[in-house]
Amino acid sequence: ETSGSPAHRAPRVRLLDLLKEKEEKAGEGVRPESSQLPYTPYGEAWALQRALVAERVEALGGLPGRGQGEGECCPLEDVAILVEHPPVFTLGTATDPDHLKGLLSAAAAPGGATIHGGGQGGGGQGVPEVVRVDRGGEATWHGPGQLVLYPLLDLRRYRRDVHWYLRALEEVGIRAGTRALLQALGEPPPPSAPADAAARGPNGDKAGGKAGGT
């Protein structure tokens, strides 16, 4: 292990807690019941993600190997955005036409969903908006009571393996949910995993630090 190489330093992820920010702005951390706060419209969170990615692409372009050199990774820190959205359906590129037809029908009905291409507006209190997005997959719903975490990671720091990355995200969700449930029940949390567990592959092998992407 080459501890001096940027790709092998312990990764640090900066948390942008938009939920907490909005609650604090609402005054004394009290969640208002009759406004959009502390919810973040999907388009607003999407625009923030794009801006952060653009910054990191530019930073990688300034490296000698433009991010492709041995041991190179983004000089900017990784970021995770924590939000709670007002009601919204997002339509991925694989959305079934029948699903889209149903959502469009709902939009045409009085008080129905608001269809747009990813702007920063909302569908009104309790009225879901429908946003066409450039991700894969089909239709997904987000709304009050659902915490959403958007990780923006340079995989050069971890492992260039999409399947491993998805399993790692799944494991993070399982551990976080388990801790939250145990805390709600007044039970002690489970023992912590090894510090480098997140940097290991599915078979326990040490993750490489070479390629990947933001």
Side-chain angles (χ1 to χ4, degrees):
E1 179 174 332
T2 309
S3 59
S5 170
H8 291 279
R9 293 174 185 161
R12 293 189 177 183
V13 180
R14 178 165 59 98
L15 178 65
L16 297 181
D17 189 343
L18 301 189
L19 184 65
K20 182 177 180 181
E21 281 185 18
K22 287 180 175 284
E23 285 184 335
E24 289 176 345
K25 288 179 181 178
E28 300 180 1
V30 177
R31 178 189 295 250
E33 298 295 336
S34 59
S35 74
Q36 290 274 54
L37 290 172
Y39 309 132
T40 301
Y42 184 86
E44 183 180 319
W46 192 14
L48 175 59
Q49 292 175 72
R50 289 184 164 185
L52 291 169
V53 168
E55 289 177 356
R56 281 147 181 77
V57 169
E58 182 178 359
L60 283 167
L63 297 177
R66 301 183 63 83
Q68 300 303 314
E70 180 71 25
E72 285 188 343
C73 59
C74 184
L76 301 182
E77 61 192 345
D78 291 338
V79 175
I81 306 171
L82 182 65
V83 301
E84 189 173 354
H85 294 304
V88 58
F89 287 101
T90 63
L91 308 181
T93 55
T95 299
D96 188 295
D98 289 336
H99 293 168
L100 178 57
K101 188 183 301 182
L103 290 171
L104 290 172
S105 298
T114 301
I115 305 287
H116 61 79
Q120 297 190 26
Q125 182 66 19
V127 179
E129 60 176 333
V130 179
V131 185
R132 297 182 178 90
V133 296
D134 55 4
R135 62 162 174 79
E138 301 186 10
T140 300
W141 179 87
H142 299 299
Q146 180 193 72
L147 294 179
V148 182
L149 184 71
Y150 296 111
L152 282 74
L153 310 177
D154 184 345
L155 294 184
R156 295 166 182 81
R157 307 186 208 276
Y158 308 92
R159 184 184 182 93
R160 189 182 185 181
D161 185 331
V162 173
H163 296 289
W164 169 83
Y165 176 58
L166 292 176
R167 297 289 77 78
L169 288 179
E170 182 181 61
E171 182 66 18
V172 168
I174 291 172
R175 292 183 186 179
T178 299
R179 285 181 174 272
L181 177 59
L182 291 174
Q183 183 177 15
L185 295 174
E187 300 289 340
S192 299
D196 64 346
R200 293 185 178 275
N203 298 317
D205 52 315
K206 191 73 174 180
K210 291 180 66 177
T214 301

